[in-house]
Amino acid sequence: MAGPQRDTAAPRPTSRDVARAAGVSQATVSLVLGDKWQGRVAERTAERVRAAARELGYRPNLAARNLRLGRTRTALLVVPALTNEFFARVHTGAARVAARHGFGVVLYPTPDLTAPARDPFDSARASLDGVLASSMASEALGAIRGDELPLVMLDSDPAGSLGASTVNLDIADGMRQATEHLLALGHRDLLHLAADVDSWTFHVRRDALVAAVRGSGATVRTAKALLTVDDARVAAEAALGGPGPRPTAVVCDDDILAAGVCKAARRLGLHVPDDLSVTGFDDLTLATAVEPELTTVALPAERFGEQGMATLIAVLDGRAPEPAALPAHLVVRGSTAQSPASRR
Amino acid sequence: MAGPQRDTAAPRPTSRDVARAAGVSQATVSLVLGDKWQGRVAERTAERVRAAARELGYRPNLAARNLRLGRTRTALLVVPALTNEFFARVHTGAARVAARHGFGVVLYPTPDLTAPARDPFDSARASLDGVLASSMASEALGAIRGDELPLVMLDSDPAGSLGASTVNLDIADGMRQATEHLLALGHRDLLHLAADVDSWTFHVRRDALVAAVRGSGATVRTAKALLTVDDARVAAEAALGGPGPRPTAVVCDDDILAAGVCKAARRLGLHVPDDLSVTGFDDLTLATAVEPELTTVALPAERFGEQGMATLIAVLDGRAPEPAALPAHLVVRGSTAQSPASRR
DNA sequence: CTCGCGACGTTATACGTACAACTAAAGGCG
DNA sequence: CGCCTTTAGTTGTACGTATAACGTCGCGAG
């Protein structure tokens, strides 16, 4: 019989409601709550306004604020997939820095390939101030034109992304470290297992690998696999079980590939690391979960995201971003050892 | 001397600009582009408007639209951490369904514990229409009061989340399957390794485990570890290396824990699965990357997210959500085998 | 006394959109 | 011809905020 205590939709209080409760005008509320009241509103009044706002549970309407100010303090993060731990970490770092500056982060692409003509710029039904994009998100990049919004690229060819600032990981140096590690262990027949052979980062890795072996007398072959444990295993079985001299070490562009290679080795009756050395990339959770633990090139993924977002915010604030390249470092674990030949 | 071809900030065209270009009023533009022009605007005119919009590269201002409509078609997803593959998958599913209904998804919490008094409701500087929250995000939940926004809970105690709809995974049944699998293999001394012993899901698993062993004569002990491979290894070494009868099987609440247990076993000189059977939960990438591959309870994480978002959208549209419990199923792989005793 | 000025607010307006309410012209019909 | 209906739009307004521009006191100086 008795109606509900609250109406089904209790309308949120507006700044006008707060004003009424505090006995001031809406403008005063805006001044006080916007921290721009120094010398314009008496302390007593300001406190009354704050109390009223607290009392009513007032929260400013972001849509109205965004409309008024013409900016949203929201950035778009473009990555291939969050299920890839590396990019989840990048997101974590980016979101942390964003929050510290009062920015929000939304993600693109929303993983629905069947949706008709998704617009990256209203990814989360929000207007955007800027874009932070990984060069790995190749399909999504087509939809993003740099002249629309301030853009910062993550790990992109500086020459190819004209106008946009870039933040890079020094994956070339990481690859150099991994390669020299293997060369020092006596390996001379290397296999390079890659996932994204079309990407810019592949060529960076590839070039670094080739440069590092130059003069050592070592040979390098390349194989390709999808970025899954299983496909990497299949590819590695094919490459390692084939005719001709078998590589003694496999350099993988991702820990997931390395895990697949380890499984392939086991199937082929090869022992890692005694018969076959394997290196990965990224130092994912995976790397220490498998046996043996993976020697891998650790990348500061979170700092990568942090630096990227910091750069984007700097751009938005009109400050000149200092270019940055984050260092990679090799973590030597149990999946690499002296080559069979050099051990004798 | 010559100015830049474009001003530094070329103001985005508004619906009024489109109207001027098409020789109509702003209202007409709104009607045409809002697909609500049937019978109100002539096809010729509509086409002219669309052409003008295309020409100018018009995009509606989301902030203005949100303000006008009083809703944003944006939902908040509350999860513990995206670096947890399970929740990354939940996000993927949720975002897919959201996109299909023209909704966006923003994430909370932004991982910055140092930020002062973050407001969950302006997580991404956007107003929100609803909240989809995992019960695992315990700290964040404190900030969320169900009476503020429509709320759908993921995997929560139906009794504890009054008012809010819930979508659940049938983890109890998953646990039952795993336990019966181990019992059928002759195991009678089980160890239950858990991460979140304070959570509701822990108790569900625990109760299901206890119920499944009832009458079998089997015993169950419980150990606790952080959700990392390394901490699980340490905890398992302590539990398996201690005095008294050693468990012959370990039931883990997460694949990450299971991987740690496998490593502990190796250190203790135990062979998995011959000396020790191990089961995991979630069927992560990890599960098939380790040796042996993990027997694990696979959860439909993406469908979980999909169903959760579908339910939230149903609530927002005023439709009665059909309650759902998604099935779990055991995937038997190489980490479980006959107990040593029963093999003799 | 009155002018000016700092302190303390207020009034008015614009942001860009969606839609209710209105208008204007053209056709239909007896 | 007068009146209603349909078609094809337009005018006007509100969403909630931030801020520019404008009062209005009280008080000390000239």
Side-chain angles (χ1 to χ4, degrees):
Chain A
M1 305 280 165
Q5 294 206 332
R6 270 169 183 262
D7 275 9
T8 47
R12 280 183 18 168
T14 73
S15 58
R16 215 172 313 261
D17 296 326
V18 175
R20 205 171 305 134
V24 297
S25 75
Q26 179 268 331
T28 303
V29 173
S30 185
L31 286 177
V32 171
L33 270 44
D35 271 344
K36 262 304 168 194
W37 58 283
Q38 305 290 3
R40 319 242 313 129
V41 178
E43 175 57 41
R44 277 176 43 81
T45 313
E47 188 46 53
R48 218 168 61 237
V49 168
R50 282 189 288 260
R54 215 175 311 121
E55 183 71 21
L56 296 178
Y58 169 72
R59 316 172 158 286
N61 180 317
L62 275 304
R65 170 178 292 172
N66 291 340
L67 173 59
R68 174 67 230 250
L69 295 178
R71 72 199 154 98
T72 55
R73 294 191 88 72
T74 297
L76 178 69
L77 177 63
V78 182
V79 292
L82 276 190
T83 45
N84 183 327
E85 184 182 344
F86 177 79
F87 288 111
R89 289 201 208 152
V90 169
H91 170 267
T92 299
R96 175 182 299 128
V97 166
R100 200 169 290 158
H101 290 79
F103 271 73
V105 176
V106 299
L107 285 161
Y108 182 85
T110 296
D112 187 356
L113 306 174
T114 72
R118 291 278 304 151
D119 182 345
F121 294 118
D122 60 63
S123 188
R125 316 300 302 174
S127 311
L128 302 170
D129 284 352
V131 178
L132 182 60
S134 162
S135 64
M136 300 272 84
S138 29
E139 333 86 68
L141 286 180
I144 296 182
R145 291 160 301 183
D147 58 333
E148 292 235 21
L149 281 177
L151 171 67
V152 170
M153 292 294 302
L154 292 172
D155 240 349
S156 157
D157 186 357
S161 48
L162 284 174
S165 303
T166 68
V167 174
N168 282 26
L169 289 172
D170 201 344
I171 46 181
D173 189 62
M175 191 52 124
R176 181 193 59 74
Q177 292 178 50
T179 309
E180 290 185 354
H181 170 65
L182 291 173
L183 292 176
L185 290 172
H187 295 278
R188 288 298 177 271
D189 200 344
L190 308 181
L191 175 66
H192 180 200
L193 185 58
D196 280 298
V197 292
D198 299 324
S199 70
W200 177 70
T201 58
F202 166 72
H203 288 100
V204 171
R205 284 174 161 102
R206 176 89 188 138
D207 293 349
L209 177 53
V210 168
V213 300
R214 204 188 316 280
S216 69
T219 65
V220 179
R221 270 169 290 173
T222 299
K224 171 178 159 53
L226 301 177
L227 194 52
T228 67
V229 172
D230 220 53
D231 200 67
R233 178 185 58 72
V234 171
E237 279 187 51
L240 296 174
R246 177 159 35 75
T248 64
V250 184
V251 178
C252 301
D253 282 359
D254 193 291
D255 284 345
I256 291 179
L257 300 179
V261 171
C262 290
K263 296 189 73 174
R266 197 171 305 241
R267 291 211 181 186
L268 294 170
L270 299 173
H271 185 265
V272 176
D274 294 339
D275 301 322
L276 186 73
S277 286
V278 179
T279 69
F281 239 95
D282 293 358
D283 196 17
L284 305 179
T285 299
L286 206 68
T288 57
V290 300
E291 272 285 339
E293 295 186 354
L294 294 177
T295 294
T296 188
V297 177
L299 302 178
E302 285 202 22
R303 276 196 50 219
F304 191 38
E306 290 178 355
Q307 190 70 47
M309 187 56 70
T311 301
L312 178 57
I313 290 175
V315 169
L316 293 178
D317 287 355
R319 305 198 308 274
E322 64 259 35
L326 303 178
H329 73 278
L330 184 71
V331 179
V332 178
R333 297 205 186 95
S335 68
T336 50
Q338 289 277 328
S339 75
S342 70
R343 217 180 312 132
R344 274 186 239 122
Chain B
M1 305 277 167
Q5 293 205 330
R6 271 170 185 259
D7 274 10
T8 46
R12 282 187 12 174
T14 73
S15 59
R16 215 174 313 265
D17 296 327
V18 176
R20 203 171 307 133
V24 298
S25 75
Q26 179 268 331
T28 302
V29 173
S30 185
L31 286 177
V32 170
L33 269 45
D35 271 345
K36 263 302 170 192
W37 57 283
Q38 305 290 3
R40 322 240 314 126
V41 178
E43 173 57 43
R44 277 178 41 84
T45 313
E47 187 46 53
R48 215 166 66 234
V49 168
R50 282 191 287 261
R54 214 175 310 122
E55 183 70 23
L56 295 178
Y58 168 72
R59 317 175 155 283
N61 180 318
L62 276 301
R65 169 178 294 174
N66 291 341
L67 174 59
R68 174 68 232 249
L69 295 178
R71 71 201 154 95
T72 55
R73 293 192 90 72
T74 297
L76 178 68
L77 177 62
V78 182
V79 291
L82 274 189
T83 45
N84 183 325
E85 185 183 341
F86 176 78
F87 289 109
R89 288 201 210 152
V90 170
H91 171 268
T92 299
R96 175 182 301 127
V97 166
R100 202 169 289 159
H101 290 79
F103 270 73
V105 175
V106 301
L107 284 161
Y108 181 84
T110 296
D112 187 357
L113 305 175
T114 72
R118 289 279 302 152
D119 182 345
F121 294 120
D122 62 59
S123 188
R125 315 300 302 171
S127 310
L128 302 170
D129 285 352
V131 179
L132 183 60
S134 162
S135 64
M136 301 271 84
S138 29
E139 334 87 71
L141 286 180
I144 296 183
R145 291 159 301 182
D147 59 332
E148 292 235 20
L149 281 176
L151 171 66
V152 170
M153 293 294 302
L154 292 173
D155 241 348
S156 157
D157 186 356
S161 47
L162 283 174
S165 303
T166 67
V167 173
N168 282 25
L169 289 173
D170 201 344
I171 47 180
D173 190 63
M175 191 52 122
R176 181 193 60 74
Q177 292 178 50
T179 308
E180 290 185 355
H181 170 65
L182 292 173
L183 292 176
L185 290 172
H187 295 278
R188 287 299 177 272
D189 201 344
L190 308 181
L191 176 66
H192 180 199
L193 186 57
D196 279 298
V197 292
D198 299 324
S199 70
W200 177 71
T201 57
F202 166 72
H203 289 101
V204 171
R205 283 173 161 104
R206 177 86 187 141
D207 293 348
L209 177 51
V210 169
V213 299
R214 203 188 317 280
S216 69
T219 67
V220 180
R221 269 169 291 175
T222 300
K224 173 181 156 56
L226 300 177
L227 194 52
T228 67
V229 172
D230 220 52
D231 200 68
R233 177 185 57 71
V234 170
E237 281 187 48
L240 297 174
R246 176 159 36 72
T248 63
V250 186
V251 178
C252 301
D253 281 0
D254 194 292
D255 284 344
I256 291 179
L257 300 179
V261 172
C262 290
K263 297 188 73 176
R266 198 171 305 242
R267 291 211 182 185
L268 293 169
L270 299 174
H271 184 264
V272 176
D274 294 338
D275 300 322
L276 186 73
S277 286
V278 179
T279 69
F281 239 95
D282 292 359
D283 196 16
L284 306 178
T285 299
L286 207 66
T288 55
V290 299
E291 273 287 338
E293 296 187 354
L294 295 177
T295 293
T296 188
V297 178
L299 302 178
E302 285 203 21
R303 275 196 52 216
F304 192 37
E306 290 178 354
Q307 189 71 45
M309 186 56 71
T311 300
L312 178 58
I313 291 175
V315 169
L316 293 177
D317 287 357
R319 304 199 307 275
E322 63 258 36
L326 303 178
H329 72 277
L330 183 71
V331 179
V332 178
R333 297 205 185 95
S335 67
T336 50
Q338 287 278 325
S339 77
S342 70
R343 218 178 312 132
R344 276 188 238 122

